Amino acid sequence: MVKDSSTKRSIPWIRLSMLMVFVGAIIVIAAQVLDQKLHYVGEDVVPGPIVPGTQYPDEKFTGIDVPQPINFSHKIHAGDNEINCMFCHTYARRSKVSGIPPLSKCMGCHTVIATDKPEIQKLTAMWEKGESPKWNKVHDLPDFVHFTHQRHLKRFLFDNEELDVSDAKRVCSMCHGDIAEMTVAKKSRPLTMGFCIRCHEANEGPSDCTKCHK
Amino acid sequence: MSQVKSGEIKTMSQSKLDRRQFLKGLGLGGAGVALAGCDLPSYVTLEQGEENVISYLAPDEYVIPGVGVWYASTCLGCAGGCSIHGRVREGRVLKLEGNPDSSVNMGRLCQMGQATLQSHFNPDRIANPLVRKNGSLVEASWDDALSLINEKANSGKAAWATGAISGHQRVVVETHLSAIGGSNHYAIEQINANVWQTACGDIIGDPNPEIHLDKAKVIFSLGADFLATFISPVHFAAHYGEFRSVPRGTLIQAEPAMSLTGGNADHWVGIKPGTETSLALGVANALMNKHGISGSGISNATKSLINEHDPATAASICDVPADRIEKIAASLAANSPSIVLAGGTATANANGYSAAAAALMLNQILGNIGVTITSGRELAYPQLGLIEGNSANLKDLAVDANKGKIDVLFVSGTNPLFLAPKSIKMDEGWNKIGFKVVLSSMLDETASAADVVLPLASSLEDWGSHIPAYSTGTRNLALQQPLMEPVFSNTRGFGDVVLGLAKQAGAPGLDEYDDYYGYLRSAISVLKKTDSEKEWNSFLMAGQTPVPSLGRKLSYIDGKISQTANTATDGGLTLIASARMGMWDGRGANLPWLQESPDQISKVVWDSWAELHPKTAKSLGIKDGDYVTIKSSNGEITTRAFIYKGIHPGAIAVPIGRGHSALGRYAKNNGVNPLFILDGGVDAKTGEIATAATRVEVKNAGKNKPLAKLMEIDRQHGRKLVATISADKQRITEGGT
Amino acid sequence: MSEAALKHLSETQTKDIDENIAWAKINQDVLRSMENPRRGYWIAMAISVALFSVMIYAEVYQYMYGMGAALLNTSHMWDLYISTFVFWIGMSHSGTLLSAILHLVHADWRKPIYRFAEAMTTFSLMTAGIFPVIHLGRVWNFYWVMPYMTDRGIWPNFRSPLIWDAFAITTYLTSSVLFLYIGMIPDLAICRDNTKGWRKKLYTWLSLGWHGDDRQWRNFRITYLMIACFLIPLAVSVHSIVSMDFAMAIMPGWHVTTFPPYFVAGALYSGCAAIITLFILLRYFFKFEEYMTFPILDKVCKLTFVIAMVWTYLNLVEFASVWYGHDIPSKEVLLAKAFGPYAPFFWGMIAFGMFLPFTLLSKWARRNMKFLFVVSVLLNVGMWLERWMIVTPTLSLGYHPWGWNIMWPGWVEWAMVGGSFGWFGMLFLIFVKVFPCVSMYEVKEMVFHRKRTIYEDVDEMMVLHKGAPTAAEAGSTNNGGS
Amino acid sequence: MANHRKQNHRIFGLFADFEQAFEVIAGIRRYEVPGITVDDVRIKSPIEHPEIEDILGERPTNIPKFAFVGGLFGLVFGFFFLAGAQANFTVQPQGGKPVITIPSNLVLAYEMLILFGVLATLAGFIIGARLMRKRGPFYNHAVSLDQIGIVVERIDDTQRQQVRDLFARHRVIDVFEETV
Amino acid sequence: MSSLFGNILKGWTDYTKGIEEGGHHKYEHMWGMVIDLDKCTGCNACSVACYAENNIATVGEEKYKARQSMQWLRVERYFDEPDIDPGAIDDENAMQERGASFLPMMCQQCNAATCEPVCPVAATYHTPDGLNAQIYNRCIGSRYCANNCPYRLRVFNFYSYTDEDGAWPEPMKQQLNPDITVREKGVMEKCTFCIQRIRAAKDKAKMENRKVKDDEVKTACQQTCPTQAIMFGDLLNSESKVTQAWERQQVKLGKYKQDRENPKLRGYRVFEELNTDPSVLYLERVREE
């Protein structure tokens, strides 16, 4: 009997199977790591939280320009004049929506301030006619999502010992980006479910589906 | 606020839903009405700039977008006058709840109250005034319509037809009526307790006594459907809840066709239509002869009537086994206090008044008067009081119209052309009226036949004050206030319109009021003797305010039982036009929620049905779902058979409320109206149209199409679904005697 | 073939295959069947496409209108879609049975007929796979059942038998396609060598450079064996998992322990019946009388009968266990099936599924193509009814009497069911013109080995110890050369 | 083996008669051509011949190992993949039932076992059978029809003629040669 | 990696035990209900209130008859009372001697729900509130859950109702409750115990750093019920009325057969024997014999 199979190297199957198991484990772990990447942004990714004691995904998003009836400048109000976000968006701490300030609030200042500007004159004309401007929503979540500003402000601002109310801007910017540098607001965070989930995981927010889905 | 141009969104199914429409009205929408299906991949722009937000001009402090505000008002679903709270968010009223402080409904609400929202948001509401030109109604401006009325209304004999009406609306209507020189005010309500109330007024001296169901241990009800259609159903249902608490009371219901109350009875007595008086007499006989009840205060004439009706005799008249009559008597004798009521089908025949009188007689001999039936309170300002309305007025209206006694008719809150049996010739009378003005928010049968139709605001957009049909203790004035801006901007409130008409007709003393709100406010400040803003606001918040009332005294005057059995119903089948909670007298037919809410007993939706006993059905060759033709001397209707054992074999019951030829997309051409073929019989004493006394012939129309029902089965098939326990065992564990 | 000739053949054909058939003729016959579609082919194709188009129309209609278009309702959330799904999954077991099981037991008579049976497996799986998708209310989200990594961190629910279905069907489809394909590689090489143009390109590409050397054959044999070994438990698991869609549910009439074996037996049964149908059709249309012979058909029929008896037994076991059990609702369901509004179909299933197979005991029947064709179609009707009887009458009853309801499918569902046959037919028709539906190399093997077996007595182990054979011997060993 | 001559030839004979071809191999096995063993012989045939492989001697294949390892990997990967997904998707406690559910995971891991087993077998086949490569120049259409081909490799000039003679003795139809 | 194995290990240790063994997810609440069938008059107010609160579509006669109705809460009516007079209904010539029996059926919020494990995409699952939630946007409409619900209490959007000729022609759309999604066609839906009200109450309690009080959440059906036959509350709150009622009836969660000292108690759960562990306790109807 001529057996000449020594020249043909057969693969040692035990070693091979161990290798395969190892590779399998690597794949599983890699998947998990990838999964972690998708779900949880570690400290090295976040450029230092602006809100102390929190971590959140610093995902940038380039929104589209949404035209508004009046070219309201957040930069002038919140940036240059450092008006607190909640001065105008006064409902944010009391309701799920932050709200657009009522026209009377605008007119509270603009009967005296900057009355010569064309945009302000537009505003004044509307006020005199008793009309409200029809703003276009920039940060609009789908209708099956329940998001409440009230709870988030409490969690990150009012319950945060290192911040006081004047730091509202820092909390708002978690989801809205640096509005104070914008003129007309533009969406600068993706506000997708993944975005929400990552922040909830990082900050131990509720993970129950019905918290956010209605 | 003007209507906003829409931003449309697409669902995955490509259906477009115009979301901006939701936010019409006051304002700022935090979240529009939600749609599922926008499952966008992660990094797709989420609806940027596709929705608009309108800011408030200068909002009230308590208005917060995204947070509902509750406003108090009054439900006008029926004459019950329940107080309600309406949840308002972003300027839209979303949900109604009962007002917990109300002594009428204690925070609860019936299905009709819940569904009032849909009469408010109904797509078939009248948006603009309509004026008849060349035979058809065309849209017109308010000025045109009002000037036309001004031109025609002041010449001739004028009259008003309304539903139940109370409070300041009643005052302005009557002011207007007198200003245009009329005197007849027909308050029409098909579903009422007029016979019972008349009998109470005559016999115990209080037409609206307090009925303490919660204190009774036994309720013996002759057809009174107090859980659904009797005076103030929610109030009684609330007390029924107490009645069913420990110690638990027993409910005995005697009626020819099962009502909701009958559906809850411990003992349901299917009685031959029109023989309730005999049953009551039979029970009285057993009580006096077997249980030694003395029968104080009963006249000899009545006693002899009672003696004629020993249980066996009564049993043969009523088609009820004698031992059941004795059982009822035994139950009444053993459990005191009890209460005996009469209403519904028992009073809807020629001797209905006798049945009510017999019920009161039973109360008298059982000693219930003053215990479970106590004196009510009378309003100190009778001009504000509730005109309950009845169907006798409907007949009067037809008769007067036919006699040419009416030249100008104003109608609001009732639908005489739908409610009137053909036999009273309302159609002909209607055409003899020279000028008909209908104030309505829906284009019902009557409005379609009017010369001028004035579009009313819905009950949730309007101001008003109401006296509830029934309440215990102090009497309250219930406030009706608008919960949102008008859905249809060119509609006006009832009070505003009538006030305007009255002013136009030159009624004195009204010129100082710009609108009905001003009138109402000043009138109430007179009533409350204060004009302070705070007082007014607390009134708005409470939704009701006590008004002075006077006590009454109860007495007992016997001898009102005359006729004992309605011989007209012997033999053949008797048509019972049964009143149901839901469609009510037809006003619920345009509300899809009520159409789709199954009838409590038959569980039928979206159509009429004819209840038949299996025995009768078998003899007539009718199966469940067969079309049957019901023919009376005044015409015929065809509807489908519902066969079950909750009806006397000698009766056929068809519910009231459907069979509209107008009233919008949901009501039109849906079901049949049994009122049309009633033969014109009335209760001998009150003149109420007898809805349960028409002889009919029933034939199989030869087609079969199963009814749309919630359930196709009547039995539990051995499953433990509704488990039942006997009252004796329940008493052992939960107490009570 | 004329009637008389057919009759003659049915009486004279006694061998599974004629050993003296020329190899070149095998190639010719099979390759011929792949060319020049005749009129009958186009008619069949037109019918299939028409049926499939109706299905597409129905699906678009249902998509626009909602699932209500299929007349489903609160009691009958599932209906024909799921029963037809189970039916097609069952059909798919034929190929596995013939190919894998018979391969393992060295039943070489499978060789001329296994190819189309395997193709049937693949295509009925592809057909079956349509149904769970179209029966979804939001069909555009069907991929959510697959476990893929998402940004949102959500996964499917691995507890759901529907997910098991998704896994099992994906695995089964992959495996059976590979099985079909691997078994076809040598034939594809033959096709490659005998065709021109696009076909040549296609076959060259598909045959992966097969040149029939002993290393390839050796690996081929092992591979085929291994995949066959994998496929058998897979096939069993697939239909058990499909049965778990029902058996895992709480519904009376579904929650039955014997469902997995019952479903597997049923699947094999309907698969066998379908093989008979297709056998007869292919034999008739492609004139494969010499390969698809009466003796093979005879064996298939006997196999069908045996499996039918297994199925019958399991069916009776199910009835008996319900009948002697204490579960009243289950009993009600059983009684309602037998005596309720669906009774004609139930008894139809019993008649076609339990009693009709007894005709296969008759030799006359096994040799009568027309009769057998009708029987095999009826067996499959019976098996389709079985699936329908599992889904619809069961849902028409249940624990809560409120849900009791009788429902009949509407045109949308029928269009989908009919269309699935169109789709299957379309795929199959394309297959028979693109790929050899009789395995050439295996017929050659069969001929070769049978012949050797015949001469074994005369000449045992002639390979090793004999000198050169005579010319006459050589001539008879290999008939004809090219 | 003491043969240092240049073994750079390959020879390919086509036989119509299978039995004759088998005889050729039997001859080689009997060392009728010195210096050539059955290890140098390859056969190209239209059908599969388990019996020839008996003559050719044991030529092992790795496919079962591929299948085993693939299946094992499928099982392990399947289970851990599912368990990992479930353990990281604990948003939903499901009515008191465990998060990592053994029965369902076993079912699914079993499917994965088969899927990966089949895929690995396929890979083993492609690797083991040297598929997806260019066919050799010796390839003749006849071997896909009804002739059998015998390739003898690693032969030198002297063996060449001997092999040709052997072929001729067994009625070879055609002989091709190639120098590597 | 650590999280993977950590999670898997956690999965083994924490979650392999069932609720009976206490190894379950930590519940924040366990919303439960008590329905007194003796008080229920079958008036249907609850059902209509549910339509109003939850944006439920009306379907019209034809679809209703085809059993494609959308009600989340149905009030069933039966004419037989086998516990009191078995077989009384069989005499076709007799009349009914008692009224009917009414049974309001809404999702029983089973704690061992049969619908949950079968959903392929986990659109229905158990929340830490003890609710059997349905995430509409995750639903792909396989309808397995509805098949597997022994109560037949899941309803499916067989059609699209959001069109102009659908359930909400303009201006009826304005009534839709913005706290709840309007469900698209192809989506399963069911009673949620008015989860939007629960959510609002919980948010409010959290804003005020306190626990949700008993009676703070009222479901729409409970609130409108004229006889107050429906009681709703947190079964984990030992002081709530619902807990007390459950205790009084000696009915415990997590059991399919109650071992009660007093067999005459009225509490029972529908199909308890199927071990679905529903959260709705019914009190038997009482009848005079």
Side-chain angles (χ1 to χ4, degrees), chain A residues 130-147:
Chain A
E131 265 176 22
S132 289
K134 187 176 74 182
W135 302 98
N136 290 311
K137 272 183 107 170
V138 176
H139 297 90
D140 192 12
L141 293 177
D143 288 335
F144 46 77
V145 174
H146 166 86
F147 174 86

Side-chain angles (χ1 to χ4, degrees), chain C residues 141-366:
Chain C
N141 287 333
F142 73 94
Y143 61 92
W144 283 1
V145 301
M146 297 317 281
Y148 65 101
M149 208 82 76
T150 114
D151 168 57
R152 294 172 274 188
I154 41 181
W155 294 92
N157 176 17
F158 298 111
R159 289 171 187 81
S160 170
L162 285 183
I163 293 290
W164 307 352
D165 269 357
F167 272 74
I169 291 170
T170 319
T171 305
Y172 195 29
L173 186 60
T174 316
S175 310
S176 59
V177 167
L178 288 176
F179 193 49
L180 172 66
Y181 171 59
I182 287 172
M184 214 159 48
I185 288 177
D187 273 357
L188 291 171
I190 297 175
C191 296
R192 174 194 65 199
D193 296 344
N194 290 290
T195 50
K196 292 191 281 287
W198 65 270
R199 280 181 182 259
K200 178 141 189 134
K201 273 186 199 149
L202 175 73
Y203 298 133
T204 308
W205 186 70
L206 283 176
S207 60
L208 301 177
W210 179 268
H211 50 98
D213 87 358
D214 63 294
R215 169 192 286 279
Q216 288 182 333
W217 278 117
R218 192 169 56 244
N219 281 292
F220 176 82
R221 192 179 73 231
I222 307 284
T223 306
Y224 202 71
L225 191 72
M226 292 306 303
I227 297 188
C229 291
F230 276 124
L231 263 186
I232 293 163
L234 174 62
V236 172
S237 82
V238 168
H239 223 59
S240 342
I241 284 175
V242 169
S243 83
M244 283 173 198
D245 285 352
F246 306 105
M248 290 278 165
I250 198 173
M251 283 293 291
W254 280 1
H255 193 68
V256 179
T257 321
T258 52
F259 258 23
Y262 174 57
F263 268 54
V264 173
L268 296 177
Y269 182 16
S270 62
C272 275
I275 284 173
I276 296 176
T277 314
L278 282 180
F279 184 108
I280 292 168
L281 287 176
L282 287 175
R283 183 185 195 277
Y284 178 74
F285 282 109
F286 292 145
K287 306 205 169 33
F288 280 150
E289 287 88 359
E290 283 166 83
Y291 311 103
M292 301 182 175
T293 59
F294 279 101
I296 294 180
L297 185 59
D298 195 81
K299 292 190 175 72
V300 178
C301 288
K302 286 174 183 164
L303 186 68
T304 310
F305 175 74
V306 170
I307 297 173
M309 288 306 108
V310 173
W311 177 83
T312 304
Y313 166 73
L314 287 166
N315 214 350
L316 294 175
V317 164
E318 189 209 320
F319 295 164
S321 64
V322 171
W323 186 251
Y324 292 108
H326 287 297
D327 191 17
I328 306 293
S330 304
K331 219 181 238 182
E332 283 172 358
V333 170
L334 182 65
L335 285 174
K337 275 185 195 172
F339 305 110
Y342 299 100
F345 302 99
F346 178 79
W347 293 111
M349 161 199 132
I350 298 279
F352 293 155
M354 280 191 188
F355 294 112
L356 196 58
F358 282 96
T359 57
L360 296 176
L361 289 177
S362 142
K363 186 167 181 186
W364 172 84
R366 294 200 302 268

Side-chain angles (χ1 to χ4, degrees), chain B residues 261-272:
Chain B
T261 311
N264 284 285
D266 292 288
H267 301 292
W268 186 79
V269 185
I271 185 174
K272 193 170 147 193

Side-chain angles (χ1 to χ4, degrees), chain E residues 147-187:
Chain E
N147 271 350
N148 214 19
C149 174
Y151 307 93
R152 289 277 178 270
L153 283 165
R154 287 177 154 264
V155 293
F156 186 70
N157 283 270
F158 286 105
Y159 304 92
S160 176
Y161 297 106
T162 50
D163 310 332
E164 184 53 31
D165 57 349
W168 304 285
E170 206 57 49
M172 266 189 195
K173 275 174 189 155
Q174 294 193 38
Q175 185 273 330
L176 293 171
N177 186 352
D179 292 340
I180 307 216
T181 318
V182 176
R183 281 78 57 183
E184 196 190 33
K185 74 176 174 206
V187 171

Side-chain angles (χ1 to χ4, degrees), chain A residues 95 103-104 132 135-137 143 192, chain B residues 19 34 42 49 51 53 57 65:
Chain A
S95 167
L103 216 52
S104 55
S132 289
W135 302 98
N136 290 311
K137 272 183 107 170
D143 288 335
T192 56
Chain B
R19 262 199 300 189
S42 299
E51 281 191 38
V53 196
L57 276 173

Side-chain angles (χ1 to χ4, degrees), chain B residues 375-707:
Chain B
S375 63
R377 294 183 75 82
E378 201 175 347
L379 214 60
Y381 305 98
Q383 70 277 18
L384 289 180
L386 174 70
I387 309 180
E388 301 251 6
N390 54 50
S391 60
N393 286 342
L394 180 65
K395 190 161 186 177
D396 292 346
L397 174 64
V399 169
D400 291 351
N402 272 312
K403 282 184 187 157
K405 284 188 185 170
I406 304 169
D407 293 325
V408 176
L409 180 67
F410 288 86
V411 183
S412 184
T414 187
N415 189 359
L417 289 189
F418 174 76
L419 297 172
K422 290 241 159 60
S423 56
I424 65 170
K425 299 191 172 57
M426 177 62 87
D427 295 0
E428 292 165 30
W430 181 263
N431 291 332
K432 286 181 188 158
I433 300 171
F435 187 65
K436 285 105 38 183
V437 181
V438 173
L439 288 70
S440 173
S441 64
M442 291 291 301
L443 201 64
D444 56 18
E445 286 81 354
T446 310
S448 317
D451 294 310
V452 176
V453 181
L454 299 178
L456 289 191
S458 82
S459 64
L460 303 178
E461 298 162 344
D462 200 2
W463 286 99
S465 64
H466 300 273
I467 302 294
Y470 177 88
S471 64
T472 48
T474 54
R475 302 304 303 258
N476 285 324
L477 183 72
L479 176 81
Q480 177 197 357
Q481 66 168 319
L483 302 182
M484 67 178 277
E485 297 267 296
V487 177
F488 296 94
S489 53
N490 205 21
T491 57
R492 291 185 188 174
F494 175 76
D496 285 322
V497 176
V498 182
L499 190 76
L501 289 173
K503 279 203 269 188
Q504 186 174 275
L510 295 175
D511 289 334
E512 58 187 291
Y513 306 115
D514 291 338
D515 54 10
Y516 187 62
Y517 168 70
Y519 172 79
L520 192 67
R521 188 165 172 184
S522 93
I524 288 171
S525 68
V526 170
L527 191 74
K528 300 295 291 179
K529 300 187 178 66
T530 166
D531 194 16
S532 81
E533 195 70 22
K534 199 177 148 202
E535 217 28 55
W536 175 249
N537 280 340
S538 68
F539 180 36
L540 288 186
M541 276 165 75
Q544 57 180 8
T545 185
V547 282
S549 58
L550 315 163
R552 287 202 187 96
K553 256 195 125 77
L554 291 191
S555 55
Y556 183 77
I557 305 158
D558 193 38
K560 304 283 184 185
I561 307 170
S562 53
Q563 199 182 354
T564 57
N566 189 0
T567 47
T569 58
D570 278 352
L573 288 183
T574 306
L575 173 69
I576 297 170
S578 61
R580 321 296 291 195
M581 178 187 254
M583 295 299 108
W584 201 250
D585 62 357
R587 66 182 74 167
N590 60 340
L591 314 181
W593 285 344
L594 292 182
Q595 284 280 10
E596 195 145 318
S597 162
D599 176 72
Q600 293 91 345
I601 301 296
S602 70
K603 294 291 165 193
V604 175
V605 295
W606 288 100
D607 200 1
S608 300
W609 66 94
E611 289 166 20
L612 273 173
H613 191 273
K615 198 163 96 182
T616 318
K618 205 172 164 190
S619 68
L620 293 168
I622 293 164
K623 289 189 299 298
D624 208 70
D626 278 351
Y627 279 89
V628 291
T629 305
I630 304 161
K631 193 175 171 197
S632 80
S633 52
N634 285 287
E636 62 176 46
I637 51 175
T638 301
T639 186
R640 283 177 280 175
F642 171 74
I643 295 169
Y644 81 129
K645 301 196 317 183
I647 184 165
H648 187 271
I652 179 168
V654 179
I656 307 175
R658 290 192 175 91
H660 285 275
S661 57
L663 199 64
R665 66 190 79 177
Y666 301 108
K668 200 172 173 180
N669 301 330
N670 176 334
V672 293
N673 183 1
L675 295 174
F676 284 164
I677 62 165
L678 295 182
D679 66 3
V682 292
D683 173 50
K685 177 91 177 179
T686 58
E688 275 295 299
I689 293 176
T691 53
T694 302
R695 289 279 307 281
V696 288
E697 273 175 56
V698 177
K699 272 203 312 257
N700 192 333
K703 260 196 307 177
N704 184 300
K705 189 182 167 204
L707 284 158

Side-chain angles (χ1 to χ4, degrees), chain B residues 67-89:
Chain B
V67 177
V69 185
W70 295 89
Y71 292 97
S73 189
T74 299
C75 175
L76 298 192
C78 69
C82 296
S83 292
I84 51 171
H85 280 165
R87 178 169 178 243
V88 180
R89 221 190 102 171

